[in-house]
Amino acid sequence: MRLSTKGRYAVMAMADLATHEAGSRPVSLADIAERQEISLSYLEQLFAKLRRNGLVSSVRGPGGGYRLSRPSEEVRVADIIMAVDEPITATRCKPGSAKGCATQGARCITHDLWEELGRQIHVFLSSVSLADVVEKRVLGRAQLDLQSSEVPAQDGDSRAAA
Amino acid sequence: MRLSTKGRYAVMAMADLATHEAGSRPVSLADIAERQEISLSYLEQLFAKLRRNGLVSSVRGPGGGYRLSRPSEEVRVADIIMAVDEPITATRCKPGSAKGCATQGARCITHDLWEELGRQIHVFLSSVSLADVVEKRVLGRAQLDLQSSEVPAQDGDSRAAA
DNA sequence: AGATTTCCCGACTACTTCAGTCAAGAATTC
DNA sequence: GAATTCTTGACTGAAGTAGTCGGGAAATCT
């Protein structure tokens, strides 16, 4: 799961689409571009990918635009991000790669860590639907349950987090 | 919290340091560079930042090298990544920024989502200590507790995750 | 003292990716 | 057929990544 502004733009656009999808009229990219302040040409790229991945369907001609293929409750944020972001080079841990991971044939020391982090991110973003985003319900669905955090609170915690 | 290969290299190097920190001898960057297949000059950059953030201490001269400032149980992975990665522009959601977020003065639709994701990542990486990484104990410390995942399993799940 | 080993620091650079532009074309409606 | 809207591909400027290079400074050893 790759996290870039491209994915964020896509989620913003999809949320806008879900919000303004009233009645039967599709939503034009021009409208989304104006409301979300994203360039039209860039949106076109994003929606081309979203369409190929079956998340939206298009209607051409005047009055045309895009529509969600499924109700917003059934669209996961993870789906959107995976649709627009390239498959990613998987923490550069491919068996063939010379550097980074796969040192001496074995997986590198930190391999498990990044794999687990990727899984955590994926689980979280899969637990949030587009409807959740629109209705500002991003908490509560998935919650990290820290058991026995033995790591003491450190002094240097004034650094910018998140 | 920014996630880049730079941060990954830093964690790899710190894990290597924690592993080979036997007795009282510091570990030289040349050794780490060879074992982890990271260029020496690049390691020097990373360790300069790690040192400024108080994660390691240095010993000069022959037989010199680096040492962990604290025991590996007390070093959180999040600390390492924050030390080497720049403070980051916080999901481009600054009040002053013209684009992206802060549309019409209000926070953008997806603001809460990314903020929460950032928090989840930070919590996870704070829950894992360097000792956990070295001893391959990255699971079980923090575990996502999904309550009532109503999102149905979708067809297209063969896509590369993580 | 002098040589060697190691950390220390700044400048420079090839490369890739990101974010976005530009231009042309095809389908649909009026 | 003219306007609208999606569709596609090529192109580009800026930024960040992953380094390299070169010269130092402190500590140790002979």
Side-chain angles (χ1 to χ4, degrees), chain B residues 2 4-6 9 39-42 44-45 60-62 85:
Chain B
R2 190 211 258 50
S4 65
T5 59
K6 188 188 264 183
Y9 279 143
S39 93
L40 176 60
S41 323
Y42 198 44
E44 285 175 347
Q45 282 182 45
R60 296 206 207 188
D85 273 325

Side-chain angles (χ1 to χ4, degrees), chain B residues 60-121:
Chain B
R60 296 206 207 188
Y66 284 93
R67 232 189 290 262
L68 291 177
S69 298
R70 300 179 244 138
S72 61
E73 289 80 16
E74 291 174 25
V75 181
R76 299 174 297 181
V77 172
D79 297 335
I80 300 172
I81 293 177
M82 285 192 300
V84 298
D85 273 325
E86 305 312 307
I88 204 174
T89 49
T91 16
R92 73 162 38 176
C93 274
K94 287 175 288 191
S97 82
K99 288 223 167 194
C101 220
T103 319
Q104 287 146 351
R107 313 232 300 260
C108 76
I109 333 173
T110 56
H111 182 101
D112 292 351
L113 175 66
W114 306 125
E115 198 167 74
E116 178 60 19
L117 176 61
R119 190 157 36 235
Q120 299 270 350
I121 293 173

Side-chain angles (χ1 to χ4, degrees), chain A residues 99-146:
Chain A
K99 288 219 165 195
C101 220
T103 319
Q104 289 148 348
R107 314 229 303 254
C108 76
I109 332 172
T110 57
H111 182 102
D112 292 351
L113 175 66
W114 307 122
E115 197 166 74
E116 178 60 18
L117 175 61
R119 191 157 35 234
Q120 299 269 351
I121 294 173
H122 190 262
V123 165
F124 173 70
L125 291 179
S126 291
S127 79
V128 181
S129 74
L130 197 52
D132 291 332
V133 174
V134 169
E135 289 156 41
K136 307 267 187 195
R137 278 187 279 108
V138 295
L139 309 169
R141 194 87 167 238
Q143 204 68 27
L144 265 175
D145 170 30
L146 265 273

Side-chain angles (χ1 to χ4, degrees), chain A residues 68-123:
Chain A
L68 290 177
S69 298
R70 299 179 245 138
S72 62
E73 290 80 15
E74 292 176 24
V75 181
R76 300 174 296 182
V77 172
D79 297 334
I80 300 171
I81 293 177
M82 284 193 301
V84 299
D85 273 325
E86 304 313 306
I88 206 177
T89 48
T91 12
R92 73 162 38 179
C93 275
K94 287 175 288 192
S97 83
K99 288 219 165 195
C101 220
T103 319
Q104 289 148 348
R107 314 229 303 254
C108 76
I109 332 172
T110 57
H111 182 102
D112 292 351
L113 175 66
W114 307 122
E115 197 166 74
E116 178 60 18
L117 175 61
R119 191 157 35 234
Q120 299 269 351
I121 294 173
H122 190 262
V123 165

